[in-house]
Amino acid sequence: MNLLILGGTGFIGSKLTRNLLGQGYHIRIMDRTIKPMDINSLKLELIEADYTKVQDFKPFLQDIDIVFHFISTTVPATSNIDKIFDINTNVCSTLRLLEDMRQTNVKKIIFLSSGGTIYGHSNMDAIPEEHPTNPICSYGIQKLTIEKYLYYYYHEYGIDYQIIRLSNPYGKGQNGKNGQGAIPIFIRKISQNEEIQIWGDGLTTRDYIYIDDVVHALSLLPQYNGRHKILNLGSGQGSTLIDIIKVISDELNKTPKIKFLDPRSIDVKTNVLDITKFTYALHWKPEISLRDGIKLMLE
């Protein structure tokens, strides 16, 4: 089977590439910057191209069976700054991709959506896929818009799809330098005795999942032909920012410096995903706890 991974040299994509090559898949990566990956395989093809500037995806789609779409040009914290850019570079680029998939008869796309922003506010302890979708930031809106177009192309043209609503991945190889990833940011700041800034009271609760669990889950999808088109992917467990800081501080034996700021309008109070469907449909479950994941990052 031939797979195209858009964003295949990134945090998630590079680790998934290694896993899938080990399973015998042929992988074609398209990314804006091809970073050194220390992989020598005749089954790996690397293409350097800016996803947002590609007007014709057809050359990249030749002989491809499934597309993994991991590219996003924005992050939740900054997406509201330029909403037009957010839509143009994410939604419009994905529409060009879908049109070219239709013309080249690519049968399926696996899209990495956002379990953390799609749902908006919720009072539920664990959010199922059927929960109303009312995102409160541009990032969540563009992800939801792409989800709707995937259904449209499935309904109209028969292009199969899988939407993975991912929670908050973390792990080795994540540096947090783009402002995304509370855990790597906190590790860096506590290690260097720098001040941590927290918007709100620190009790904001999120679902954090270690990268190895994410990759294992995603690696099962090329063989999945079940009925579920939308699946949550997370740990199914909630942790507050204070919880994370305490674990890191304990492991480093350091006292954190924390500054509490006014809460942000883009942040929901609690977001923990119900992962029951993924667990049963793909016979998968997360294996690495928050503390063990942080220990792995600190090694």
Side-chain angles (χ1 to χ4, degrees):
M1 187 180 289
N2 300 323
L3 310 176
L4 172 63
I5 303 181
L6 303 175
T9 64
F11 173 52
I12 297 174
S14 60
K15 291 174 169 46
L16 180 63
T17 295
R18 290 179 184 275
N19 182 298
L20 293 174
L21 284 171
Q23 294 186 50
Y25 291 100
H26 291 256
I27 308 293
R28 180 180 298 155
I29 284 176
M30 193 195 87
D31 217 329
R32 182 174 59 183
T33 303
I34 298 297
K35 306 167 187 174
M37 296 180 65
D38 192 28
I39 300 176
N40 185 17
S41 174
L42 295 176
K43 295 181 178 181
L44 177 63
E45 179 185 357
L46 302 173
I47 299 173
E48 189 168 275
D50 187 336
Y51 174 73
T52 65
K53 296 178 181 178
V54 173
Q55 298 299 314
D56 184 4
F57 287 96
K58 290 189 287 292
F60 309 135
L61 294 168
Q62 295 302 316
D63 303 317
I64 292 298
D65 298 298
I66 298 176
V67 174
F68 277 91
H69 183 354
F70 292 159
I71 292 177
S72 180
T73 64
T74 58
V75 298
T78 60
S79 63
N80 289 354
I81 295 173
D82 191 341
K83 304 169 191 67
I84 294 175
F85 172 83
D86 194 21
I87 296 299
N88 280 341
T89 55
N90 291 298
V91 177
C92 294
S93 295
T94 301
L95 277 174
R96 285 194 291 271
L97 170 68
L98 289 170
E99 274 297 298
D100 289 344
M101 286 179 62
R102 178 172 67 87
Q103 295 179 42
T104 51
N105 295 313
V106 177
K107 300 303 181 185
K108 185 174 182 178
I109 181 169
I110 297 169
F111 175 61
L112 203 62
S113 189
S114 171
T117 62
I118 282 281
Y119 297 112
H121 293 292
S122 175
N123 294 320
M124 301 186 71
D125 293 333
I127 302 173
E129 290 86 350
E130 297 79 14
H131 189 281
T133 49
N134 295 300
I136 58 172
C137 68
S138 182
Y139 182 87
I141 293 170
Q142 58 96 344
K143 289 288 190 183
L144 184 58
T145 303
I146 292 173
E147 288 191 9
K148 297 299 184 182
Y149 272 115
L150 292 179
Y151 174 77
Y152 167 76
Y153 272 80
Y154 172 69
H155 176 268
E156 195 70 13
Y157 306 113
I159 298 176
D160 200 4
Y161 70 95
Q162 203 81 58
I163 292 167
I164 304 302
R165 291 178 175 168
L166 180 63
S167 62
N168 297 273
Y170 71 99
K172 287 185 177 180
Q174 188 184 34
N175 54 36
K177 289 183 179 178
N178 64 353
Q180 189 174 26
I183 292 176
I185 291 172
F186 290 172
I187 287 175
R188 187 178 74 248
K189 287 184 175 292
I190 294 173
S191 298
Q192 298 174 1
N193 295 312
E194 295 179 1
E195 182 181 84
I196 294 173
Q197 294 185 335
I198 291 181
W199 287 269
D201 57 10
L203 299 180
T204 297
T205 302
R206 294 290 182 270
D207 184 330
Y208 298 90
I209 180 170
Y210 193 73
I211 185 62
D212 291 2
D213 285 331
V214 175
V215 169
H216 178 211
L218 294 176
S219 71
L220 301 172
L221 294 174
Q223 300 298 328
Y224 177 66
N225 295 308
R227 62 186 178 87
H228 298 301
K229 299 298 183 188
I230 301 176
L231 291 167
N232 286 338
L233 176 56
S235 69
Q237 303 294 321
S239 301
T240 69
L241 296 177
I242 296 298
D243 291 335
I244 294 169
I245 291 172
K246 185 177 188 311
V247 172
I248 296 171
S249 301
D250 288 348
E251 293 300 323
L252 290 174
N253 195 26
K254 285 178 172 285
T255 301
K257 301 175 182 176
I258 305 173
K259 181 179 181 181
F260 292 95
L261 305 173
D262 291 336
R264 301 181 298 185
S265 63
I266 63 169
D267 293 326
V268 298
K269 188 67 177 176
T270 301
N271 181 275
V272 180
L273 300 183
D274 183 338
I275 58 171
T276 302
K277 283 185 180 178
F278 206 118
T279 300
Y280 283 97
L282 288 111
H283 308 291
W284 165 93
K285 64 178 181 179
E287 301 286 349
I288 301 172
S289 69
L290 179 70
R291 183 173 291 274
D292 287 343
I294 289 173
K295 285 181 178 179
L296 288 169
M297 290 185 73
L298 292 173
E299 285 180 354

